[in-house]
Every structure is written in C-alpha cells, then in structure tokens.
Amino acid sequence: MTSIVIPAHNEGRVIGRLLDALLADASASGPDIVVVCNGCTDDTARVAGERGDRVRVVEIPTPSKHRALRVGDEHARGFPRLYVDADVVVGAADVGALVGALDRSPELLAAAPGRDIPLGGCAWPVRAYYRVWQRLPAVREGLFGRGVIAVTEAGHARIAALPPLMADDLAASLAFGPGERRVVEEARVVVRPPRTWSDLIRRRVRAATSSAEFERFQAARQAEAPEAAPEQGSEPVSEQTARTGTADLRALLWARPALLPGVVVFVVAALAARRGSRKAIRDRDFSTWLRDESSRQD
C-alpha cells in the first residue's frame, strides 16, 4: 500500500485543498494518508479530520517537521512512501505516476513531480526571480523545492538516517545519486510562490541559512571519513551540491538574453539573502523558520 505522510504545523488554511486533491478520483483502498499535526495552535487537525476515514490524524506537541516525519513513519502502512508538504497541491493521479515510475525502474530509489509555480498576483520582482530560478540546472534536476518526494523502502532507509536539518528536502535530494533519483514530469505539483518581495527575501534567507547548515553537515561527514567514497544504495552522496554559480547564470543568459532583468533580480535577492542569513549562521541558529504567509493566501 502506498502511504503519504503530511507534516503540518498551523496549516489549517491550506491543508484542505491538498487533501481534497489527494482524495479526488482515488480508489477507496488507497493511498494511506497520515497527517501529523506538530505543535499546531490552529484548526489543522479539525480540517484534516473532516476529510473522513481515509485520512488519519496524529497530533504531537512539538513543532518539529523532522519529528513529524518520523512519527508519520511510525504510523504509515506501506511503500512506496510519499512525504508531502501541507502547503502544496498534488493529486491522486500524480501520486500514481510517481509510484508507477518507482515500480517500473528498480534502480530508482526516489522521485518527485514536475513543478508548477503560478505567478499570477505576485510582484514583478518575484515573477522575474522565479523565471530565472526555475531554469537553473540544479533546480530543474533536483528533487528539492517541490514539497513532494516519493521513496522506495530502500530510499526511505537512506533519508531516515539523515539528522534533523532545516534543508530537509535538499538533504533528501542529495542523498541519492543521479541514477537513483528522477523528476517525473508527467506528475505535477503546484507550489505557490511568495507574492511580495519581502516574503521572497524571507524565503531566500531561510534557504541560505539552511544551505549553510547542510554544507557544515557535509563537511563533518567528509572529515569523519575523508577517504570513504559514497556507495550506491548506502550512504548519502555527500559531495554533491545544489549551489548556483556564476557559470550557470552566464549560460542561462547566453541561451536566453531576454532574461537579463531577471538575472539582475536573482543576484540582488541572493546577495540580500546572504546578508540576512549572516547572524543566524554565526549564531548557529538553524531552527528559526522564516515562514512566508503570503503564499498561503487564497
């Protein structure tokens, strides 16, 4: 049986649309859906519980996504297993496409859907930023930034061994080699972007902070076993990176010169995020979650 684990912290405004999409056109026998409400002070549990017996709701007092994922694992019934953020929208057919890709390809351990980012209603700098961001090689090929990852039982063992990290989706993506992961474009997920420049910068500060934490984790792993090469199917592929370099931006401009204004916006956002993350990185504050509320508006 396919299981879906949804960690949710104060997502009462948006979790209903995700659950409705997952339940639509799905057979009565599946998938198995577990919503883990972690540290919620709103009506997330009630909204999820109203979707009927197909949705099992588990409540824990601690507001921790990592803990919620592991508690979800304790209650989930089968594989392949999907981890889905509560603020995205993915449908039953898309789940089926991901599961089918894993079933057809024994070498695959993890898969994620293609990403749709509706930019209507966003400020123009936000639209310009995402037109560049979506075209970057690491963004196109990585499983992160989609809010959905599907894993086999062997893939689950890989990500379950990861420590608590703010950049959990980045760590999960880079835990697999290129031949072990795949973006399944026929499956789609709707990821709503921030609507304002200030909310975009909040997201990018969080991303810069979490990337710094992840890179420290990678460095520590390499220091522990500097001569140990990562093996297929066992240890995370720690030398991989999802960093965007100037060469990536130059190549993008060479192919699409009309994106120059967007590249300028992208660089400004990156510099602002780097500046904004300095204190958190210096203080090793890798737990403060700078949440964007504008993407959760109807």
Side-chain angles (χ1 to χ4, degrees):
M1 174 182 286
T2 299
S3 286
I4 301 174
V5 174
I6 306 172
H9 172 68
N10 289 344
E11 300 287 9
R13 285 192 293 174
V14 296
I15 196 170
R17 67 191 183 195
L18 167 61
L19 293 173
D20 289 343
L22 288 172
L23 294 170
D25 302 323
S27 66
S29 60
D32 166 45
I33 301 174
V34 181
V35 176
V36 184
C37 302
N38 56 103
C40 290
T41 57
D42 69 349
D43 60 349
T44 301
R46 179 187 63 78
V47 172
E50 288 175 347
R51 266 56 191 182
D53 295 339
R54 292 279 308 284
V55 178
R56 291 183 290 135
V57 178
V58 179
E59 296 186 70
I60 61 174
T62 307
S64 164
K65 183 177 180 181
H66 180 83
R67 178 60 183 153
L69 292 171
R70 300 292 75 83
V71 169
D73 281 335
E74 294 169 4
H75 289 81
R77 292 170 176 161
F79 290 96
R81 186 164 299 168
L82 282 80
Y83 299 98
V84 181
D85 290 350
D87 61 334
V88 304
V89 177
V90 64
D94 306 296
V95 171
L98 292 171
V99 171
L102 292 175
D103 287 344
R104 289 190 301 271
S105 304
E107 73 279 6
L108 282 185
L109 301 182
R115 184 195 294 112
D116 294 327
I117 301 180
L119 294 173
C122 296
W124 78 262
V126 176
R127 297 196 303 271
Y129 177 91
Y130 276 101
R131 289 188 185 112
V132 171
W133 183 80
Q134 291 184 84
R135 291 179 167 90
L136 297 172
V139 174
R140 292 199 316 268
E141 298 163 9
L143 306 185
F144 60 89
R146 302 171 192 275
V148 179
I149 183 170
V151 294
T152 64
E153 189 166 3
H156 167 262
R158 187 84 62 86
I159 63 174
L162 292 170
L165 293 167
M166 186 184 291
D168 59 287
D169 60 342
L170 174 61
S173 178
L174 296 183
F176 304 99
E180 298 174 317
R181 65 177 186 246
R182 179 181 301 168
V183 175
V184 181
E185 291 293 344
E186 56 265 35
R188 309 302 298 177
V189 60
V190 177
V191 182
R192 285 176 168 78
R195 295 187 177 184
T196 68
W197 176 253
S198 59
D199 279 307
L200 172 64
I201 297 304
R202 285 172 64 83
R203 276 203 190 187
R204 300 322 304 164
V205 168
R206 185 180 76 208
T209 304
S210 60
S211 293
E213 180 193 23
F214 178 67
E215 288 170 358
R216 291 186 180 190
F217 161 69
Q218 286 181 307
R221 286 185 58 86
Q222 291 294 92
E224 290 172 3
E227 298 178 358
E231 299 177 3
Q232 294 287 89
S234 58
E235 296 299 318
V237 188
S238 58
E239 76 272 16
Q240 294 188 89
T241 180
R243 284 280 187 185
T244 294
T246 56
D248 296 311
L249 297 176
R250 285 198 300 268
L252 190 60
L253 278 176
W254 179 262
R256 294 175 177 267
L259 287 176
L260 177 59
V263 169
V264 172
V265 171
F266 182 91
V267 171
V268 170
L271 292 174
R274 186 180 303 175
R275 184 168 57 250
S277 66
R278 283 175 185 164
K279 184 177 186 302
I281 294 171
R282 184 176 64 248
D283 296 343
R284 294 180 175 268
D285 178 7
F286 300 121
S287 60
T288 299
W289 190 269
L290 297 178
R291 177 158 151 156
D292 157 39
E293 296 293 345
S294 68
S295 60
R296 290 170 167 82
Q297 299 173 7
D298 292 331

